[in-house]
Amino acid sequence: MAYRSTERVKARLSASRERIIGAALEIMAEHGYAGCSVAAVAERAGMATGSLYRHFPTKADLFAEVFRAASQHEVDAVARAAALETSAAEQMAAVVETFSGRALQSPRLAYALLAEPVDPAVDAERLVFRRAYAELIAGYVAAGVTSGELPPQDPELTANALVGALAEAMVGPLAAGVAGPQTIPALVAFIHRALGVSP
């Protein structure tokens, strides 16, 4: 009987954490990181602020978890899109189109994930997010080099440079909340040139 009770308590705590993270993501998508207070998250999650602090002792703890969840969701979406393609050029086009397209659909959230000033603990999650993208891209670059589709290059160095370029290229449009219709095709063309994809 005690076992069932413990499992119910764990399930309830997990559901509460998910509700809190979901509420924080909604507010961050509407108002950015700066406009996302713990009190607002608690209210959106339908609980007292004190109850929220039982799950996340500080705002930094909460938003590190929020960034972790949101970032993994985005990396997974990019990986799924790229996995549908077969060549390195197509895979990288899928990476750019998915990453940029999703960012432009939710510009405040994307700006918060990529560039908005945040607490150091949250910034550490941002670096994890970038490393996850770099590892994904490095795999496509390495496969492209092995197959002869891409010229010889250091896949890790190339991947890190491309992640930095993509993130930086998106900051302006995300901050402004708009992007021209050629933004994504131009980024794909840039990435292909950088990789040495044959025209």
Side-chain angles (χ1 to χ4, degrees):
M1 197 67 166
Y3 172 76
R4 280 192 203 148
S5 174
T6 301
E7 288 303 308
R8 276 197 300 269
V9 168
K10 282 183 183 175
R12 195 168 62 246
L13 289 173
S14 178
S16 293
R17 282 179 69 89
E18 292 302 315
R19 201 165 74 243
I20 292 165
I21 292 167
L25 277 168
E26 287 174 7
I27 295 172
M28 202 159 66
E30 295 163 10
H31 306 289
Y33 179 77
C36 201
S37 70
V38 171
V41 173
E43 183 179 348
R44 180 78 59 102
M47 63 177 58
T49 303
S51 297
L52 186 150
Y53 278 121
R54 282 201 292 274
H55 295 278
F56 300 98
T58 68
K59 180 180 179 180
D61 290 330
L62 168 60
F63 283 97
E65 183 67 25
V66 169
F67 267 60
R68 196 174 301 123
S71 299
Q72 190 60 56
H73 186 72
E74 295 305 312
V75 170
D76 290 345
V78 167
R80 281 193 304 273
L84 298 174
E85 306 299 343
T86 53
S87 72
E90 291 166 341
Q91 288 165 336
M92 286 308 302
V95 167
V96 174
E97 289 163 358
T98 306
F99 173 83
S100 304
R102 290 175 65 86
L104 293 170
Q105 285 174 3
S106 187
R108 279 190 179 268
L109 177 60
Y111 183 74
L113 292 174
L114 289 171
E116 188 174 359
V118 293
D119 293 326
V122 179
D123 204 34
E125 290 304 321
R126 184 177 280 156
L127 293 177
V128 171
F129 172 48
R130 286 187 175 215
R131 276 197 299 272
Y133 274 119
E135 286 175 17
L136 187 68
I137 291 170
Y140 301 138
V141 174
V145 169
T146 299
S147 71
E149 182 188 352
L150 300 179
Q153 57 196 287
D154 180 332
E156 288 184 20
L157 179 63
T158 297
N160 284 318
L162 293 180
V163 168
L166 268 177
E168 191 61 31
M170 292 306 298
V171 168
L174 292 173
V178 294
Q182 289 304 307
T183 300
I184 294 175
L187 277 172
V188 171
F190 167 78
I191 295 297
H192 282 171
R193 285 194 304 273
L195 286 168
V197 172
S198 298

Coordinates of all heavy atoms in Angstrom, one line a residue, residues 79-151:
A79 N 16.4 17.5 -35.5 CA 17.0 16.1 -35.8 C 16.0 15.3 -36.6 O 16.3 14.6 -37.6 CB 17.4 15.4 -34.5
R80 N 14.7 15.4 -36.3 CA 13.7 14.7 -37.0 C 13.6 15.1 -38.4 O 13.5 14.3 -39.3 CB 12.3 14.8 -36.3 CG 12.1 14.0 -35.1 CD 10.6 14.0 -34.6 NE 10.1 15.3 -34.4 CZ 10.2 15.9 -33.2 NH1 10.8 15.4 -32.2 NH2 9.6 17.1 -33.1
A81 N 13.6 16.4 -38.7 CA 13.5 16.9 -40.0 C 14.7 16.5 -40.9 O 14.6 16.1 -42.0 CB 13.4 18.5 -40.0
A82 N 15.9 16.6 -40.3 CA 17.1 16.2 -41.0 C 17.2 14.7 -41.3 O 17.7 14.3 -42.3 CB 18.4 16.7 -40.3
A83 N 16.6 13.9 -40.4 CA 16.7 12.5 -40.6 C 15.9 12.0 -41.8 O 16.1 10.9 -42.2 CB 16.2 11.8 -39.3
L84 N 15.0 12.8 -42.3 CA 14.2 12.5 -43.4 C 15.0 12.6 -44.7 O 14.5 12.2 -45.8 CB 12.9 13.3 -43.5 CG 12.0 13.2 -42.3 CD1 10.8 14.2 -42.4 CD2 11.4 11.8 -42.2
E85 N 16.1 13.3 -44.7 CA 16.9 13.5 -45.9 C 18.1 12.6 -46.0 O 18.5 11.9 -45.0 CB 17.4 15.0 -45.8 CG 16.4 16.0 -45.6 CD 15.3 16.1 -46.7 OE1 15.6 15.5 -47.8 OE2 14.2 16.6 -46.5
T86 N 18.7 12.5 -47.2 CA 19.7 11.5 -47.4 C 21.1 12.1 -47.6 O 22.1 11.5 -47.2 CB 19.4 10.5 -48.5 OG1 19.1 11.3 -49.7 CG2 18.2 9.7 -48.2
S87 N 21.2 13.2 -48.3 CA 22.5 13.8 -48.6 C 22.8 14.9 -47.5 O 21.9 15.4 -46.8 CB 22.5 14.5 -50.0 OG 21.7 15.7 -50.0
A88 N 24.1 15.2 -47.4 CA 24.5 16.2 -46.4 C 23.9 17.6 -46.8 O 23.5 18.3 -45.9 CB 26.1 16.3 -46.4
A89 N 23.9 17.9 -48.1 CA 23.3 19.2 -48.5 C 21.8 19.3 -48.1 O 21.3 20.3 -47.5 CB 23.4 19.3 -50.0
E90 N 21.0 18.2 -48.3 CA 19.6 18.2 -47.9 C 19.5 18.2 -46.4 O 18.6 18.9 -45.9 CB 19.0 16.9 -48.5 CG 18.8 16.9 -50.0 CD 18.5 15.6 -50.6 OE1 18.7 14.5 -49.9 OE2 18.0 15.5 -51.7
Q91 N 20.3 17.5 -45.7 CA 20.2 17.4 -44.2 C 20.5 18.8 -43.7 O 19.8 19.3 -42.8 CB 21.2 16.4 -43.7 CG 20.8 15.0 -43.9 CD 21.9 14.0 -43.7 OE1 23.1 14.3 -43.8 NE2 21.6 12.8 -43.4
M92 N 21.5 19.5 -44.2 CA 21.8 20.8 -43.7 C 20.7 21.9 -44.1 O 20.4 22.8 -43.3 CB 23.2 21.3 -44.2 CG 24.3 20.6 -43.5 SD 24.2 20.7 -41.6 CE 24.2 22.5 -41.4
A93 N 20.1 21.7 -45.2 CA 19.0 22.6 -45.6 C 17.9 22.3 -44.6 O 17.2 23.3 -44.2 CB 18.6 22.3 -47.0
A94 N 17.6 21.1 -44.3 CA 16.5 20.8 -43.3 C 16.9 21.4 -41.9 O 16.0 21.9 -41.2 CB 16.3 19.3 -43.2
V95 N 18.1 21.3 -41.5 CA 18.5 21.9 -40.2 C 18.2 23.4 -40.2 O 17.6 23.9 -39.3 CB 20.0 21.7 -40.0 CG1 20.5 22.6 -38.8 CG2 20.3 20.2 -39.6
V96 N 18.7 24.1 -41.3 CA 18.5 25.6 -41.4 C 17.0 25.9 -41.4 O 16.5 26.8 -40.7 CB 19.2 26.1 -42.6 CG1 18.9 27.6 -42.7 CG2 20.7 25.9 -42.4
E97 N 16.3 25.2 -42.3 CA 14.9 25.5 -42.5 C 14.0 25.3 -41.3 O 13.2 26.1 -40.9 CB 14.3 24.7 -43.7 CG 14.8 25.2 -45.0 CD 14.6 24.2 -46.2 OE1 14.1 23.1 -45.9 OE2 15.0 24.5 -47.3
T98 N 14.3 24.2 -40.6 CA 13.6 23.8 -39.4 C 13.9 24.8 -38.2 O 13.1 25.3 -37.5 CB 13.8 22.4 -39.0 OG1 13.5 21.5 -40.1 CG2 12.9 22.0 -37.8
F99 N 15.2 24.9 -38.0 CA 15.7 25.8 -36.9 C 15.2 27.2 -37.1 O 14.6 27.8 -36.2 CB 17.2 25.8 -36.9 CG 17.9 26.8 -35.9 CD1 18.0 26.5 -34.6 CD2 18.3 28.1 -36.4 CE1 18.6 27.4 -33.7 CE2 18.9 29.0 -35.5 CZ 19.0 28.6 -34.2
S100 N 15.4 27.8 -38.3 CA 15.0 29.2 -38.5 C 13.5 29.3 -38.6 O 12.9 30.3 -38.1 CB 15.6 29.7 -39.8 OG 17.0 29.5 -39.8
G101 N 12.8 28.4 -39.3 CA 11.4 28.5 -39.4 C 10.7 28.4 -38.1 O 9.8 29.2 -37.8
R102 N 11.1 27.5 -37.2 CA 10.5 27.4 -35.9 C 10.8 28.7 -35.0 O 10.0 29.2 -34.3 CB 11.0 26.2 -35.2 CG 10.4 24.9 -35.8 CD 11.0 23.6 -35.1 NE 10.7 23.5 -33.7 CZ 9.5 23.0 -33.3 NH1 8.7 22.5 -34.1 NH2 9.3 22.9 -32.0
A103 N 12.0 29.2 -35.2 CA 12.4 30.4 -34.4 C 11.5 31.6 -34.9 O 11.0 32.3 -34.0 CB 13.9 30.7 -34.7
L104 N 11.3 31.7 -36.2 CA 10.5 32.8 -36.6 C 9.0 32.7 -36.3 O 8.2 33.7 -36.2 CB 10.7 33.0 -38.1 CG 12.1 33.5 -38.5 CD1 12.2 33.4 -40.0 CD2 12.4 34.9 -38.0
Q105 N 8.5 31.5 -36.1 CA 7.1 31.2 -35.6 C 6.9 31.7 -34.2 O 5.8 32.0 -33.8 CB 6.8 29.8 -35.8 CG 6.5 29.3 -37.2 CD 6.3 27.8 -37.4 OE1 6.3 27.1 -36.4 NE2 6.1 27.4 -38.6
S106 N 8.0 31.6 -33.4 CA 7.9 32.0 -32.0 C 9.1 32.8 -31.6 O 10.0 32.4 -30.9 CB 7.8 30.7 -31.1 OG 7.6 31.1 -29.7
P107 N 9.1 34.1 -32.2 CA 10.3 34.9 -32.0 C 10.7 35.3 -30.6 O 11.9 35.3 -30.3 CB 10.0 36.1 -32.9 CG 8.5 36.2 -33.0 CD 8.1 34.7 -32.9
R108 N 9.8 35.5 -29.8 CA 10.2 35.9 -28.4 C 10.8 34.7 -27.7 O 11.8 34.9 -27.0 CB 9.0 36.4 -27.6 CG 8.6 37.8 -27.8 CD 7.6 38.3 -26.8 NE 7.2 39.7 -27.1 CZ 7.8 40.7 -26.5 NH1 8.8 40.5 -25.6 NH2 7.4 41.9 -26.7
L109 N 10.3 33.6 -27.8 CA 10.8 32.4 -27.2 C 12.2 32.1 -27.8 O 13.2 31.8 -27.1 CB 9.9 31.2 -27.3 CG 10.4 29.9 -26.8 CD1 10.7 30.0 -25.3 CD2 9.5 28.7 -27.1
A110 N 12.3 32.1 -29.1 CA 13.6 31.9 -29.8 C 14.7 32.9 -29.3 O 15.8 32.5 -29.1 CB 13.4 31.9 -31.3
Y111 N 14.3 34.1 -29.2 CA 15.2 35.2 -28.8 C 15.7 34.9 -27.4 O 16.9 35.0 -27.1 CB 14.6 36.6 -28.9 CG 15.6 37.7 -28.6 CD1 16.6 38.0 -29.5 CD2 15.5 38.3 -27.4 CE1 17.5 39.0 -29.1 CE2 16.4 39.3 -27.0 CZ 17.4 39.7 -27.9 OH 18.3 40.7 -27.6
A112 N 14.8 34.5 -26.5 CA 15.1 34.2 -25.1 C 16.1 33.0 -25.1 O 17.1 33.0 -24.4 CB 13.9 33.8 -24.3
L113 N 15.9 32.0 -25.9 CA 16.7 30.8 -26.0 C 18.1 31.1 -26.6 O 19.1 30.5 -26.1 CB 16.1 29.7 -26.8 CG 14.8 29.0 -26.2 CD1 14.2 28.1 -27.1 CD2 15.1 28.4 -24.8
L114 N 18.2 32.0 -27.5 CA 19.4 32.3 -28.2 C 20.3 33.4 -27.7 O 21.5 33.3 -27.6 CB 19.1 32.6 -29.7 CG 18.7 31.4 -30.6 CD1 18.2 31.9 -31.9 CD2 19.8 30.4 -30.7
A115 N 19.6 34.5 -27.3 CA 20.4 35.8 -27.1 C 20.0 36.7 -25.9 O 20.8 37.5 -25.5 CB 20.4 36.6 -28.4
E116 N 18.8 36.5 -25.4 CA 18.4 37.5 -24.3 C 19.3 37.3 -23.1 O 19.6 36.2 -22.7 CB 16.9 37.2 -23.9 CG 16.3 38.2 -23.0 CD 14.8 38.0 -22.8 OE1 14.2 37.1 -23.3 OE2 14.3 38.8 -22.0
P117 N 19.6 38.4 -22.4 CA 20.4 38.3 -21.2 C 19.7 37.5 -20.2 O 18.5 37.7 -19.9 CB 20.6 39.8 -20.7 CG 20.4 40.6 -22.0 CD 19.4 39.8 -22.8
V118 N 20.4 36.5 -19.6 CA 19.8 35.6 -18.6 C 20.8 35.4 -17.4 O 21.9 35.8 -17.5 CB 19.5 34.2 -19.2 CG1 18.3 34.4 -20.3 CG2 20.7 33.6 -19.9
D119 N 20.3 34.7 -16.4 CA 21.1 34.4 -15.3 C 22.2 33.4 -15.7 O 22.0 32.6 -16.7 CB 20.3 33.7 -14.2 CG 19.3 34.6 -13.5 OD1 19.6 35.8 -13.4 OD2 18.2 34.2 -13.1
P120 N 23.4 33.4 -15.0 CA 24.5 32.5 -15.4 C 24.1 31.0 -15.5 O 24.5 30.3 -16.4 CB 25.5 32.7 -14.3 CG 25.3 34.1 -13.8 CD 23.8 34.3 -13.9
A121 N 23.2 30.5 -14.6 CA 22.8 29.1 -14.6 C 22.0 28.8 -15.9 O 22.1 27.7 -16.5 CB 22.0 28.8 -13.4
V122 N 21.2 29.8 -16.3 CA 20.4 29.6 -17.5 C 21.3 29.7 -18.7 O 21.2 29.0 -19.7 CB 19.3 30.7 -17.6 CG1 18.5 30.5 -18.8 CG2 18.4 30.6 -16.3
D123 N 22.3 30.6 -18.7 CA 23.3 30.8 -19.8 C 24.1 29.5 -20.0 O 24.4 29.1 -21.1 CB 24.2 31.9 -19.5 CG 24.8 32.5 -20.8 OD1 24.1 32.5 -21.8 OD2 26.0 32.9 -20.7
A124 N 24.3 28.7 -18.9 CA 25.0 27.5 -19.0 C 24.2 26.5 -19.8 O 24.7 25.7 -20.7 CB 25.3 26.9 -17.7
E125 N 22.8 26.5 -19.7 CA 22.0 25.6 -20.5 C 22.0 26.1 -21.9 O 21.9 25.2 -22.8 CB 20.5 25.7 -19.9 CG 20.4 25.0 -18.6 CD 20.8 23.6 -18.6 OE1 20.6 22.9 -19.6 OE2 21.4 23.2 -17.6
R126 N 22.1 27.3 -22.2 CA 22.2 27.8 -23.6 C 23.4 27.2 -24.3 O 23.4 26.8 -25.5 CB 22.3 29.4 -23.6 CG 22.3 30.0 -24.9 CD 22.4 31.5 -24.8 NE 21.0 32.0 -24.5 CZ 20.8 33.2 -23.9 NH1 21.8 33.9 -23.5 NH2 19.6 33.6 -23.7
L127 N 24.5 27.1 -23.6 CA 25.7 26.5 -24.1 C 25.5 25.0 -24.4 O 26.0 24.5 -25.5 CB 26.9 26.7 -23.2 CG 27.4 28.1 -23.0 CD1 28.5 28.2 -22.0 CD2 27.8 28.7 -24.3
V128 N 24.8 24.3 -23.6 CA 24.5 22.9 -23.8 C 23.6 22.8 -25.1 O 23.9 21.9 -25.9 CB 23.7 22.3 -22.6 CG1 23.2 20.9 -22.9 CG2 24.6 22.3 -21.3
F129 N 22.7 23.7 -25.2 CA 21.8 23.7 -26.4 C 22.6 23.9 -27.7 O 22.5 23.2 -28.6 CB 20.9 24.9 -26.1 CG 20.0 25.4 -27.2 CD1 19.2 24.5 -27.9 CD2 19.9 26.8 -27.5 CE1 18.3 25.0 -28.9 CE2 19.0 27.2 -28.5 CZ 18.2 26.4 -29.2
R130 N 23.6 24.8 -27.7 CA 24.5 25.0 -28.8 C 25.3 23.8 -29.1 O 25.5 23.4 -30.3 CB 25.3 26.2 -28.7 CG 24.5 27.5 -28.8 CD 25.4 28.7 -28.8 NE 24.6 29.9 -29.0 CZ 25.1 31.0 -29.7 NH1 26.3 31.0 -30.2 NH2 24.3 32.0 -29.9
R131 N 25.8 23.2 -28.1 CA 26.7 22.0 -28.3 C 25.8 20.8 -28.9 O 26.3 20.1 -29.7 CB 27.3 21.5 -26.9 CG 28.6 22.3 -26.6 CD 29.4 21.6 -25.5 NE 28.7 21.4 -24.3 CZ 28.7 22.3 -23.3 NH1 29.4 23.4 -23.4 NH2 28.0 22.1 -22.2
A132 N 24.6 20.7 -28.5 CA 23.7 19.6 -29.0 C 23.5 19.8 -30.5 O 23.6 18.9 -31.3 CB 22.4 19.6 -28.3
Y133 N 23.3 21.1 -30.9 CA 23.2 21.4 -32.4 C 24.5 21.1 -33.1 O 24.5 20.5 -34.2 CB 22.8 22.8 -32.6 CG 21.3 23.1 -32.6 CD1 20.8 24.0 -31.6 CD2 20.5 22.5 -33.5 CE1 19.5 24.2 -31.6 CE2 19.1 22.8 -33.5 CZ 18.6 23.6 -32.5 OH 17.3 23.9 -32.5
A134 N 25.6 21.5 -32.5 CA 26.9 21.3 -33.1 C 27.2 19.8 -33.3 O 27.7 19.4 -34.3 CB 28.0 21.9 -32.3
E135 N 26.9 19.0 -32.3 CA 27.1 17.5 -32.4 C 26.2 16.9 -33.6 O 26.7 16.1 -34.3 CB 26.7 16.8 -31.1 CG 27.8 17.0 -30.0 CD 27.4 16.4 -28.7 OE1 26.4 15.6 -28.7 OE2 27.9 16.8 -27.7
L136 N 25.0 17.4 -33.7 CA 24.1 16.9 -34.7 C 24.7 17.3 -36.1 O 24.8 16.4 -37.0 CB 22.7 17.6 -34.5 CG 21.6 17.1 -35.4 CD1 21.2 15.7 -35.1 CD2 20.4 18.1 -35.2
I137 N 25.1 18.5 -36.3 CA 25.6 19.0 -37.5 C 26.9 18.3 -37.9 O 27.2 17.9 -39.0 CB 25.7 20.5 -37.5 CG1 24.3 21.2 -37.5 CG2 26.6 21.0 -38.7 CD1 24.4 22.7 -37.3
A138 N 27.8 18.1 -36.8 CA 29.1 17.5 -37.1 C 28.9 16.1 -37.7 O 29.7 15.7 -38.5 CB 29.9 17.4 -35.8
G139 N 27.8 15.4 -37.2 CA 27.6 14.1 -37.8 C 27.2 14.1 -39.3 O 27.7 13.3 -40.0
Y140 N 26.4 15.1 -39.7 CA 26.1 15.2 -41.1 C 27.3 15.6 -41.9 O 27.5 15.1 -43.0 CB 25.0 16.3 -41.3 CG 23.7 15.9 -40.5 CD1 23.0 16.9 -39.9 CD2 23.2 14.6 -40.5 CE1 21.8 16.6 -39.2 CE2 22.1 14.3 -39.8 CZ 21.4 15.3 -39.1 OH 20.2 15.0 -38.4
V141 N 28.1 16.5 -41.4 CA 29.3 17.0 -42.1 C 30.3 15.8 -42.2 O 30.8 15.6 -43.3 CB 30.0 18.1 -41.3 CG1 31.3 18.5 -42.0 CG2 29.1 19.4 -41.3
A142 N 30.5 15.0 -41.2 CA 31.4 13.9 -41.2 C 31.0 12.9 -42.2 O 31.8 12.4 -43.0 CB 31.6 13.2 -39.8
A143 N 29.7 12.6 -42.3 CA 29.2 11.7 -43.2 C 29.3 12.2 -44.7 O 29.7 11.4 -45.6 CB 27.7 11.4 -43.0
G144 N 29.1 13.5 -44.8 CA 29.3 14.1 -46.2 C 30.7 14.1 -46.6 O 31.0 13.8 -47.8
V145 N 31.7 14.2 -45.7 CA 33.1 14.2 -46.1 C 33.4 12.7 -46.4 O 34.1 12.4 -47.4 CB 34.0 14.7 -44.9 CG1 35.4 14.3 -45.2 CG2 33.8 16.2 -44.7
T146 N 33.0 11.8 -45.6 CA 33.3 10.3 -45.9 C 32.7 9.9 -47.2 O 33.4 9.1 -48.0 CB 32.7 9.5 -44.8 OG1 33.2 9.9 -43.5 CG2 32.9 8.0 -45.0
S147 N 31.5 10.4 -47.6 CA 30.9 10.0 -48.9 C 31.5 10.7 -50.1 O 31.2 10.3 -51.2 CB 29.4 10.2 -48.8 OG 29.1 11.6 -48.9
G148 N 32.3 11.7 -49.8 CA 32.8 12.5 -50.9 C 31.9 13.7 -51.4 O 32.3 14.4 -52.3
E149 N 30.8 13.8 -50.7 CA 29.9 14.9 -51.1 C 30.4 16.2 -50.7 O 30.3 17.2 -51.4 CB 28.5 14.7 -50.5 CG 27.5 15.8 -50.9 CD 26.2 15.7 -50.1 OE1 26.0 14.7 -49.4 OE2 25.4 16.6 -50.2
L150 N 31.1 16.3 -49.6 CA 31.7 17.5 -49.1 C 33.2 17.4 -49.1 O 33.8 16.3 -49.0 CB 31.3 17.7 -47.6 CG 29.8 17.9 -47.3 CD1 29.6 18.1 -45.9 CD2 29.2 19.0 -48.2
P151 N 33.9 18.5 -49.3 CA 35.4 18.5 -49.3 C 35.9 18.2 -47.9 O 35.2 18.4 -46.9 CB 35.8 19.9 -49.7 CG 34.6 20.8 -49.4 CD 33.4 19.9 -49.5

